[in-house]
Structures are given as structure tokens and as C-alpha cells.
Amino acid sequence: MDFKWLEDFLSLAETHSFSRAAELRGVTQSAFSRRIRALEDWLGAELLNRESYPITLTPEGKLFRETAEEAVRMIHARRAEFRQHARGGGPVVSLVALHSLTVTFLPGWLTRLRGAIGPVASRVKPENFDQCITALTEGGYDFFLTYHHPRVRFPLEPEAYPHLVIGQDSLAAVARPGWPEDWVQDGMPLLQYSRGSFLGTLAGIAQAQPGAPKVYVAHTNEASMAEAMKSMAVEGHGVVWLPRSLIALDIAAGRLEVVAPELPMEIRLYRNATRARTLTARVWQAAERLAEGYAKSE
């Protein structure tokens, strides 16, 4: 089995087009098709519904896509570490984090971390919650940066994946100021996260709180990208629940206003304790000191 077959298949699963996937992979369509067929022959399963347009995955294809994504992620992660060592850059601390936290919280936290332990190379992978869990438990990442609320179950064993509370945020319902009066009577159009997404779960908890606005679903973002949802709200398409840290500047500038009581959230750092490396131990000790300093300042 050739490793590039996995990347070919993932490209096809993403584009649903043989011609587009072949173009992205830099091969002719006929060569690309042969490689996909070779992968199916090696697996002994049909991965694609070739009768449909655009191309769709069979049940076996959907299942194998998860396996291929994880295999490719792990191999690339290990390659990045090896190349860093080869360049003489020393060990690398690897983190996986929710998309919005890589924009808002992570840059400043890394600055404080480097101030505590000195220069250290870092590798960060922004992902959705489920992919973050997989990357931490199976993909060779040291740490996971996430939001936490007590009503959301975390599928991590405390002994194997201890955590620190390293910050606080809140989920705020926001809309563009000057929204139409009929939103009060008919309900506010809700910009909704995809079913089962982590921020969508938190938004559901927040929306059930006393004082939350009356809403109806007007738009669903299947990728559950908070930054994209913010842009929709700024354009006046409706109300959306977003981390306050992501929208603080927009609120201050008058582009958005808070329309409901906010939902408090912790910012947590989880560690994969099975990855016992000198660097991860140093980072964890520094993170503990930073967390203690943060707790005292509250």
C-alpha cells in the first residue's frame, strides 16, 4: 500500500471530483483513478459511489476516511518533529486547539509560556472538538486547549489526561445594533452551529438560560466556524452565540451588541500524560505556575 494513496483518497473525499482531486494532487486524471482503484483493491472494498454526481463515499468509504485522516495526521506530525530535530531546532511542543482559541487565547499564552521557560518551538493544529480529542489521544499531540462547561461531558480519563484551568471566557449572544423591531415579536433569526458541534452544544445550553432571546433558525454553518458566524452577525443576518474574546473588539467598536445573559466557560489545557518527554514536563510545570498566577489575579 502506497502512502500517497491515502492522500489521494482524502483529496477525492474533500472535492467529490476526480478531475479536481487529480489537479490538486498534480497527476493526470487517469493516473489518479488508477491509484484510487489500487487502494480499493488493496482494501478489498468499494470506497466510492461512482454512479452519483458529484462522487460520494460508500459506507465503507466514510469509515475508511476517518482511518485515513488519522494515519496521515500522525505521519505528518511525526515527520514535522523529525525535521525539526534535523534542523537542530531541538524538541517541539505540540498542541491541538479549538479554532477560536488559536485566534484569541493561544498567542498570548504562548508568549507567557516562553517568558517562563525560554525559547521553545511549538506546533499547533486548529481543529473541531472531536478531531482535537482524537489528535490528543491517538495523533501524537502533547496538549489540548479547549473551552469547558460542567454540563458538557468530556470523554477523557482524568488520570491519563489531567487538566489545568488557565483562563476564563464566556459565550455571548450578539447581533448587529439597530436590528429590526419585528425581531422582538417574531423572534430573532438564529445563526446556528452544525448538529453535534461543541460550540453548538454550548450555544444550546446558553440559549436555554433565562433571559435568552426568542429565536428561529435562519442559517446553519455546517463547518461550525465561529469566525464565519461572526461575519454573518456583523452583516446583520441574525443572532449568534460566540466566545466573548472573539468579539470583544467588535462590541467595543459598536459592530455587535450583546442581547442575552452570557454563559461562563473555563479555558482548559489538557495533557496527554502517556507522552512522557522532558519538554512536556517543563511546559506542564510552567503552565501550572501560570495557572496559579491567573487564579490569584481573579
Side-chain angles (χ1 to χ4, degrees):
M1 205 277 289
D2 195 323
F3 175 70
K4 68 188 174 202
W5 296 351
L6 299 181
E7 296 180 314
D8 291 342
F9 170 68
L10 292 177
S11 181
L12 184 56
E14 182 70 25
T15 63
H16 304 282
S17 167
F18 271 94
S19 59
R20 177 61 178 150
E23 179 184 353
L24 291 174
R25 296 290 293 150
V27 297
T28 64
Q29 185 171 336
S30 59
F32 183 85
S33 297
R34 287 194 298 271
R35 280 159 41 168
I36 294 295
R37 179 60 73 183
L39 175 62
E40 291 179 312
D41 291 342
W42 187 83
L43 288 169
E46 294 284 338
L47 302 177
L48 307 170
N49 291 312
R50 290 174 170 80
E51 303 295 325
S52 64
Y53 183 82
I55 296 290
T56 58
L57 300 181
T58 63
E60 293 82 3
K62 293 177 182 178
L63 185 62
F64 183 68
R65 182 178 186 177
E66 299 177 6
T67 302
E69 286 175 339
E70 186 59 28
V72 170
R73 181 186 299 113
M74 291 178 67
I75 290 172
H76 282 300
R78 191 61 64 205
R79 182 182 66 173
E81 290 187 9
F82 290 162
R83 288 186 172 184
Q84 182 72 20
H85 280 293
R87 288 194 296 266
V92 179
V93 58
S94 58
L95 301 96
V96 61
L98 298 182
H99 287 95
S100 56
L101 283 170
T102 64
V103 176
T104 58
F105 182 84
L106 182 62
W109 184 80
L110 280 177
T111 297
R112 295 190 294 275
L113 177 69
R114 287 173 174 141
I117 66 174
V120 58
S122 57
R123 176 169 58 89
V124 177
K125 183 176 181 62
E127 273 291 3
N128 63 42
F129 180 80
D130 290 337
Q131 292 295 333
C132 283
I133 293 292
T134 301
L136 180 71
T137 58
E138 302 176 16
Y141 284 82
D142 299 308
F143 300 103
F144 170 31
L145 186 64
T146 182
Y147 293 117
H148 178 267
H149 187 273
R151 289 182 57 185
V152 178
R153 187 184 72 85
F154 263 59
L156 294 173
E157 292 294 332
E159 295 79 11
Y161 302 97
H163 75 271
L164 299 170
V165 178
I166 60 175
Q168 297 286 336
D169 204 339
S170 63
L171 205 64
V174 291
R176 189 171 72 179
W179 32 273
E181 284 296 322
D182 59 8
W183 285 12
V184 178
Q185 298 177 351
D186 302 334
M188 305 183 79
L190 177 66
L191 309 177
Q192 179 176 260
Y193 298 94
S194 61
R195 183 184 298 274
S197 72
F198 183 67
L199 281 180
T201 300
L202 289 172
I205 295 170
Q207 183 61 40
Q209 294 183 124
K214 177 184 176 183
V215 296
Y216 65 90
V217 177
H219 171 78
T220 301
N221 186 305
E222 291 295 342
S224 295
M225 294 289 291
E227 293 84 354
M229 303 284 265
K230 181 183 80 169
S231 298
M232 290 287 289
V234 169
E235 285 297 319
H237 290 285
V239 60
V240 62
W241 291 91
L242 292 167
R244 173 171 272 276
S245 58
L246 186 66
I247 51 176
L249 294 178
D250 298 279
I251 294 172
R255 290 186 291 270
L256 292 171
E257 67 174 351
V258 179
V259 299
E262 300 180 32
L263 181 75
M265 303 182 297
E266 293 178 344
I267 299 174
R268 287 186 173 187
L269 183 71
Y270 283 82
R271 176 190 179 187
N272 185 341
T274 64
R275 287 174 59 81
R277 299 193 297 153
T278 302
L279 177 61
T280 56
R282 287 179 57 213
V283 170
W284 189 248
Q285 291 169 1
E288 287 179 321
R289 293 194 297 271
L290 292 173
E292 290 171 2
Y294 166 77
K296 291 178 182 178
S297 68
E298 284 295 293

